[in-house]
Amino acid sequence: MTELTSPVERVIAARREAGSGALIGYLPAGFPDIPTSIEAAVALAENGVDIIELGLPYSDPVMDGPVIQAATQTALAQGFRLRDGFEVMAAITARVSTPVVFMSYWNPIAQYGVDRFAEDLVAAGGAGLITPDLIPDEARQWLAASERTGLDRIFLAAPSSTDSRLEQAVQASRGFVYAVSTMGITGARGDVDSAAKALVARLRTAGATSTCVGLGISSADQVREVLAYADGAIVGSALVKALSDGGVPAVAATAAALSAGTRPAVARH
Protein backbone atom coordinates (compact mmCIF):
# COMPACT_ATOMS: atom_id res chain seq x y z
CA MET A 1 0.00 0.00 0.00
CA THR A 2 1.34 3.43 -0.92
CA GLU A 3 1.07 6.82 0.72
CA LEU A 4 -1.72 7.59 -1.74
CA THR A 5 -3.96 4.77 -0.53
CA SER A 6 -3.12 4.34 3.19
CA PRO A 7 -4.76 7.14 5.19
CA VAL A 8 -2.29 6.54 8.03
CA GLU A 9 0.74 6.86 5.74
CA ARG A 10 -0.86 9.90 4.08
CA VAL A 11 -1.15 11.70 7.42
CA ILE A 12 2.40 10.78 8.44
CA ALA A 13 3.75 11.92 5.06
CA ALA A 14 1.91 15.25 5.32
CA ARG A 15 3.34 15.81 8.81
CA ARG A 16 6.82 14.92 7.59
CA GLU A 17 6.55 17.36 4.67
CA ALA A 18 5.49 20.07 7.13
CA GLY A 19 8.76 19.50 9.00
CA SER A 20 7.22 17.75 11.98
CA GLY A 21 5.74 14.36 12.81
CA ALA A 22 2.44 12.75 13.78
CA LEU A 23 0.82 12.59 17.21
CA ILE A 24 -0.94 9.27 17.78
CA GLY A 25 -3.32 9.00 20.72
CA TYR A 26 -4.53 5.77 22.36
CA LEU A 27 -7.79 5.27 24.24
CA PRO A 28 -9.65 2.04 25.04
CA ALA A 29 -13.07 1.47 23.48
CA GLY A 30 -15.85 1.22 26.05
CA PHE A 31 -14.15 3.17 28.87
CA PRO A 32 -15.63 4.45 31.08
CA ASP A 33 -18.65 3.49 28.97
CA ILE A 34 -19.35 3.21 25.25
CA PRO A 35 -20.84 6.70 24.65
CA THR A 36 -18.07 8.45 26.62
CA SER A 37 -15.35 6.50 24.84
CA ILE A 38 -16.74 7.76 21.51
CA GLU A 39 -16.78 11.38 22.70
CA ALA A 40 -13.26 11.05 24.11
CA ALA A 41 -11.88 9.77 20.81
CA VAL A 42 -13.60 12.56 18.88
CA ALA A 43 -12.04 15.01 21.35
CA LEU A 44 -8.60 13.64 20.44
CA ALA A 45 -9.22 14.37 16.77
CA GLU A 46 -10.48 17.86 17.58
CA ASN A 47 -7.42 18.71 19.70
CA GLY A 48 -4.42 17.94 17.55
CA VAL A 49 -4.18 14.13 17.49
CA ASP A 50 -3.35 13.00 13.95
CA ILE A 51 -4.10 9.26 14.24
CA ILE A 52 -6.32 7.52 16.82
CA GLU A 53 -5.38 4.15 18.27
CA LEU A 54 -8.51 2.52 19.68
CA GLY A 55 -7.80 -0.31 22.09
CA LEU A 56 -10.02 -3.38 22.26
CA PRO A 57 -10.28 -4.43 25.93
CA TYR A 58 -8.93 -7.91 26.62
CA SER A 59 -8.88 -10.05 29.74
CA ASP A 60 -5.12 -10.72 29.67
CA PRO A 61 -3.43 -7.46 28.63
CA VAL A 62 0.15 -8.56 29.22
CA MET A 63 1.78 -5.47 27.68
CA ASP A 64 -0.41 -2.82 29.29
CA GLY A 65 0.52 -0.83 32.37
CA PRO A 66 -1.74 -0.31 35.40
CA VAL A 67 -3.60 2.75 34.06
CA ILE A 68 -4.65 1.05 30.82
CA GLN A 69 -5.28 -2.30 32.53
CA ALA A 70 -7.66 -0.68 35.01
CA ALA A 71 -9.56 1.05 32.20
CA THR A 72 -9.91 -2.05 30.05
CA GLN A 73 -10.97 -4.15 33.04
CA THR A 74 -13.66 -1.56 33.81
CA ALA A 75 -14.96 -1.83 30.25
CA LEU A 76 -15.00 -5.64 30.38
CA ALA A 77 -16.74 -5.64 33.77
CA GLN A 78 -19.51 -3.56 32.20
CA GLY A 79 -20.02 -6.21 29.53
CA PHE A 80 -17.91 -4.84 26.67
CA ARG A 81 -17.46 -7.36 23.86
CA LEU A 82 -15.25 -7.23 20.79
CA ARG A 83 -18.26 -6.62 18.54
CA ASP A 84 -18.94 -3.42 20.51
CA GLY A 85 -15.58 -2.14 19.26
CA PHE A 86 -16.95 -1.91 15.73
CA GLU A 87 -19.88 0.19 16.99
CA VAL A 88 -17.43 2.56 18.69
CA MET A 89 -15.19 2.67 15.60
CA ALA A 90 -18.11 3.42 13.26
CA ALA A 91 -19.41 6.20 15.51
CA ILE A 92 -15.97 7.87 15.60
CA THR A 93 -15.20 7.57 11.88
CA ALA A 94 -18.64 8.99 11.05
CA ARG A 95 -17.67 12.20 12.84
CA VAL A 96 -13.95 12.74 12.14
CA SER A 97 -11.61 12.37 9.17
CA THR A 98 -8.70 11.35 11.40
CA PRO A 99 -7.58 7.77 10.64
CA VAL A 100 -8.54 5.29 13.37
CA VAL A 101 -6.79 1.95 13.90
CA PHE A 102 -7.60 -0.80 16.37
CA MET A 103 -5.03 -2.10 18.84
CA SER A 104 -5.82 -5.66 19.86
CA TYR A 105 -4.22 -8.77 21.22
CA TRP A 106 -4.48 -11.61 18.75
CA ASN A 107 -6.53 -14.21 20.65
CA PRO A 108 -9.89 -12.36 20.53
CA ILE A 109 -9.43 -11.71 16.80
CA ALA A 110 -8.69 -15.38 16.13
CA GLN A 111 -11.81 -16.33 18.10
CA TYR A 112 -13.93 -13.75 16.25
CA GLY A 113 -12.64 -14.93 12.87
CA VAL A 114 -9.82 -13.17 11.04
CA ASP A 115 -11.66 -12.57 7.75
CA ARG A 116 -14.84 -11.51 9.53
CA PHE A 117 -12.83 -9.13 11.72
CA ALA A 118 -11.16 -7.53 8.69
CA GLU A 119 -14.46 -7.11 6.87
CA ASP A 120 -16.20 -5.62 9.93
CA LEU A 121 -13.27 -3.25 10.49
CA VAL A 122 -13.50 -1.98 6.90
CA ALA A 123 -17.27 -1.58 7.24
CA ALA A 124 -16.77 0.48 10.43
CA GLY A 125 -14.40 2.85 8.63
CA GLY A 126 -11.25 1.63 10.35
CA ALA A 127 -7.85 2.13 8.74
CA GLY A 128 -5.95 -0.84 10.16
CA LEU A 129 -4.79 -2.85 13.14
CA ILE A 130 -1.90 -2.82 15.64
CA THR A 131 -1.11 -6.34 16.90
CA PRO A 132 1.26 -6.17 19.91
CA ASP A 133 1.52 -9.93 20.48
CA LEU A 134 1.50 -11.15 16.86
CA ILE A 135 4.78 -11.58 15.02
CA PRO A 136 4.91 -11.53 11.22
CA ASP A 137 5.92 -15.17 10.77
CA GLU A 138 2.77 -16.24 12.67
CA ALA A 139 0.51 -13.75 10.89
CA ARG A 140 -0.30 -15.59 7.65
CA GLN A 141 -4.08 -15.28 8.05
CA TRP A 142 -3.93 -11.60 8.97
CA LEU A 143 -1.48 -10.76 6.19
CA ALA A 144 -3.84 -12.37 3.68
CA ALA A 145 -6.96 -10.68 5.10
CA SER A 146 -5.32 -7.25 5.25
CA GLU A 147 -3.99 -7.65 1.72
CA ARG A 148 -7.47 -8.49 0.47
CA THR A 149 -9.19 -5.62 2.32
CA GLY A 150 -6.47 -2.95 2.07
CA LEU A 151 -6.17 -2.50 5.84
CA ASP A 152 -2.95 -1.30 7.42
CA ARG A 153 -1.10 -3.84 9.56
CA ILE A 154 1.20 -2.44 12.21
CA PHE A 155 3.73 -4.72 13.89
CA LEU A 156 5.90 -3.95 16.89
CA ALA A 157 9.68 -3.74 17.07
CA ALA A 158 11.66 -3.68 20.32
CA PRO A 159 15.25 -2.76 21.21
CA SER A 160 15.86 -6.46 21.91
CA SER A 161 14.77 -7.52 18.40
CA THR A 162 17.40 -9.05 16.15
CA ASP A 163 18.16 -7.38 12.82
CA SER A 164 16.32 -10.16 10.99
CA ARG A 165 13.23 -9.66 13.20
CA LEU A 166 13.33 -5.93 12.47
CA GLU A 167 13.51 -6.63 8.75
CA GLN A 168 10.48 -8.94 9.07
CA ALA A 169 8.52 -6.25 10.91
CA VAL A 170 9.43 -3.63 8.30
CA GLN A 171 8.50 -5.85 5.37
CA ALA A 172 5.21 -7.00 6.91
CA SER A 173 4.04 -3.63 8.27
CA ARG A 174 1.88 -1.17 6.37
CA GLY A 175 1.02 2.25 7.83
CA PHE A 176 4.04 2.40 10.14
CA VAL A 177 6.27 0.26 12.32
CA TYR A 178 5.52 0.61 16.05
CA ALA A 179 8.84 1.06 17.86
CA VAL A 180 8.59 0.13 21.53
CA SER A 181 10.85 2.61 23.28
CA THR A 182 11.35 0.68 26.51
CA MET A 183 11.45 -2.90 27.61
CA GLY A 184 8.41 -3.89 29.63
CA ILE A 185 4.84 -2.65 29.96
CA THR A 186 3.29 0.65 28.97
CA GLY A 187 3.07 3.66 31.27
CA ALA A 188 4.07 7.29 31.42
CA ARG A 189 7.68 7.81 32.47
CA GLY A 190 9.76 10.84 33.29
CA ASP A 191 12.19 10.17 30.46
CA VAL A 192 11.70 8.39 27.18
CA ASP A 193 14.24 5.59 26.96
CA SER A 194 17.21 6.51 24.80
CA ALA A 195 17.02 3.02 23.32
CA ALA A 196 14.19 4.33 21.15
CA LYS A 197 16.50 6.52 19.11
CA ALA A 198 18.85 3.63 18.36
CA LEU A 199 15.90 1.39 17.50
CA VAL A 200 14.50 3.90 15.00
CA ALA A 201 17.92 4.13 13.35
CA ARG A 202 18.06 0.32 13.07
CA LEU A 203 14.55 0.24 11.57
CA ARG A 204 15.54 2.85 8.99
CA THR A 205 18.55 0.72 8.08
CA ALA A 206 16.14 -2.21 7.69
CA GLY A 207 14.12 -0.16 5.20
CA ALA A 208 11.35 1.40 7.29
CA THR A 209 9.82 4.54 5.76
CA SER A 210 7.51 5.36 8.71
CA THR A 211 8.39 4.58 12.32
CA CYS A 212 6.39 5.75 15.33
CA VAL A 213 7.58 5.48 18.92
CA GLY A 214 5.36 4.47 21.83
CA LEU A 215 5.53 3.55 25.52
CA GLY A 216 6.50 6.18 28.05
CA ILE A 217 5.59 9.45 26.30
CA SER A 218 3.57 11.80 28.49
CA SER A 219 4.48 15.43 27.73
CA ALA A 220 4.77 17.88 24.83
CA ASP A 221 8.54 18.04 25.41
CA GLN A 222 8.79 14.26 25.07
CA VAL A 223 6.65 14.36 21.91
CA ARG A 224 9.03 16.97 20.48
CA GLU A 225 12.06 14.92 21.53
CA VAL A 226 10.72 11.80 19.79
CA LEU A 227 9.70 13.66 16.63
CA ALA A 228 13.27 14.89 16.23
CA TYR A 229 14.19 11.37 15.07
CA ALA A 230 10.91 9.45 14.48
CA ASP A 231 7.88 9.95 12.26
CA GLY A 232 5.32 9.78 15.05
CA ALA A 233 4.90 9.82 18.84
CA ILE A 234 2.32 7.52 20.45
CA VAL A 235 0.70 8.52 23.77
CA GLY A 236 -1.55 6.20 25.74
CA SER A 237 -1.43 6.14 29.54
CA ALA A 238 -1.38 9.94 29.92
CA LEU A 239 -4.60 10.23 27.88
CA VAL A 240 -6.31 7.32 29.64
CA LYS A 241 -5.42 8.81 33.04
CA ALA A 242 -6.87 12.15 31.94
CA LEU A 243 -10.11 10.46 30.90
CA SER A 244 -10.24 8.53 34.16
CA ASP A 245 -9.57 11.60 36.32
CA GLY A 246 -11.39 14.36 34.47
CA GLY A 247 -13.56 12.94 31.71
CA VAL A 248 -13.73 14.17 28.13
CA PRO A 249 -12.74 17.79 28.95
CA ALA A 250 -9.50 16.55 30.53
CA VAL A 251 -8.75 14.34 27.51
CA ALA A 252 -9.29 17.31 25.20
CA ALA A 253 -6.98 19.52 27.28
CA THR A 254 -4.28 16.83 27.53
CA ALA A 255 -4.39 16.16 23.78
CA ALA A 256 -4.11 19.87 23.03
CA ALA A 257 -1.13 20.19 25.39
CA LEU A 258 0.61 17.16 23.85
CA SER A 259 0.01 18.43 20.32
CA ALA A 260 2.15 21.47 21.13
CA GLY A 261 5.05 19.03 20.83
CA THR A 262 4.38 18.62 17.10
CA ARG A 263 5.26 22.28 16.60
CA PRO A 264 8.80 23.71 16.80
CA ALA A 265 9.84 24.82 20.26
CA VAL A 266 9.60 28.55 20.85
CA ALA A 267 12.98 30.07 21.64
CA ARG A 268 13.24 31.57 25.12
CA HIS A 269 14.86 34.98 25.52
Side-chain angles (χ1 to χ4, degrees), residues 163-183:
D163 289 345
S164 62
R165 283 286 186 195
L166 294 186
E167 288 171 9
Q168 278 187 312
V170 168
Q171 290 166 10
S173 292
R174 193 162 61 194
F176 62 87
V177 180
Y178 192 131
V180 180
S181 69
T182 55
M183 303 306 294

Side-chain angles (χ1 to χ4, degrees), residues 182 187-193 215-223 225:
T182 55
R189 294 173 175 83
D191 295 300
V192 175
D193 193 339
L215 303 192
I217 302 168
S218 59
S219 70
D221 284 344
Q222 288 179 341
V223 169
E225 176 190 335

